[in-house]
């Protein structure tokens, strides 16, 4: 909003987007021309990784039953684009970024499930990030219950 000469792109995973998609109401009401890139792997990978490391791989509520994001965007009067395969990604990305410069667009992209990294363990400094999907030793007592 402060610099209307630039494209503003929000990159979000489906887990976090599901917690905040009510903000689409504000986007629509205010006509904010934000481009929302939604990476959907039907899971909350950071939470799943956290549960794997700190809770003996006991997984709870980490697989998403997602809404139809196109219908959701449409309910707020926001244009949506969906890419289900890598083959269509380039053309749809170009449409997402450049075809509707003055309006908000939700770009729903289905992706593979991969770990959400980097991750910082509880009580650890930022320079001690977990950067790779490998077994790491963690202080089990540092994680919240």
């Amino acid at each position: 909003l402060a610099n209307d000469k630039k494209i503003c792109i929000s990159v979000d995973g489906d887990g976090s987007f599901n917690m905040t998609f009510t903000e689409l109401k504000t986007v629509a009401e205010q006509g904010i021309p934000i481009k929302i890139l939604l990476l959907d792997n039907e899971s909350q990978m950071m939470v799943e990784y956290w549960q794997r490391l700190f809770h003996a791989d006991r997984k709870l509520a980490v697989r998403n039953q997602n809404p139809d994001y196109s219908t959701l965007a449409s309910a707020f009067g926001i244009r949506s684009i969906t890419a289900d395969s890598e083959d269509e990604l380039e053309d749809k990305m170009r449409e997402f970024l450049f075809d509707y410069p003055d309006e908000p667009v939700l770009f729903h992209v289905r992706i593979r499930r991969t770990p959400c990294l980097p991750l910082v363990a509880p009580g650890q400094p930022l320079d001690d990030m977990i950067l790779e999907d490998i077994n790491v030793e963690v202080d089990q007592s540092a994680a919240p219950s």
Side-chain angles (χ1 to χ4, degrees):
L1 294 175
N3 187 345
D4 61 359
K5 306 290 185 255
K6 301 271 185 172
I7 296 175
C8 180
I9 304 168
S10 167
V11 180
D12 211 348
D14 55 322
S16 58
F17 185 76
N18 287 341
M19 293 185 261
T20 62
F21 65 65
T22 55
E23 294 302 329
L24 292 176
K25 181 178 184 294
T26 303
V27 168
E29 286 176 347
Q30 300 300 314
I32 301 169
I34 189 168
K35 308 306 176 198
I36 303 165
L37 176 58
L38 174 55
L39 303 174
D40 178 4
N41 61 8
E42 297 182 334
S43 63
Q44 295 187 56
M45 287 306 298
M46 185 174 291
V47 175
E48 183 172 327
Y49 207 78
W50 189 272
Q51 291 174 356
R52 185 178 114 195
L53 289 175
F54 304 110
H55 299 286
D57 210 22
R58 294 186 316 271
K59 294 185 180 76
L60 177 66
V62 293
R63 299 295 168 96
N64 293 342
Q65 178 67 38
N66 287 331
D68 178 330
Y69 292 114
S70 293
T71 301
L72 180 65
S74 178
F76 289 101
I78 294 173
R79 182 180 307 277
S80 69
I81 301 166
T82 300
D84 291 314
S85 72
E86 194 172 334
D87 294 338
E88 58 189 354
L89 193 57
E90 186 175 341
D91 288 340
K92 298 230 175 159
M93 180 64 81
R94 188 175 297 108
E95 178 185 1
F96 166 65
L97 292 173
F98 304 115
D99 285 6
Y100 315 102
D102 298 323
E103 63 183 90
V105 180
L106 174 72
F107 185 21
H108 177 211
V109 180
R110 297 184 199 282
I111 63 171
R112 284 185 227 105
R113 293 182 70 250
T114 57
C116 185
L117 297 172
L119 179 81
V120 179
Q124 297 302 308
L126 289 177
D127 62 349
D128 192 18
M129 291 183 191
I130 299 169
L131 300 172
E132 299 176 75
D133 186 20
I134 58 175
N135 288 329
V136 294
E137 292 207 22
V138 295
D139 179 3
Q140 296 289 322
S141 66
S145 58

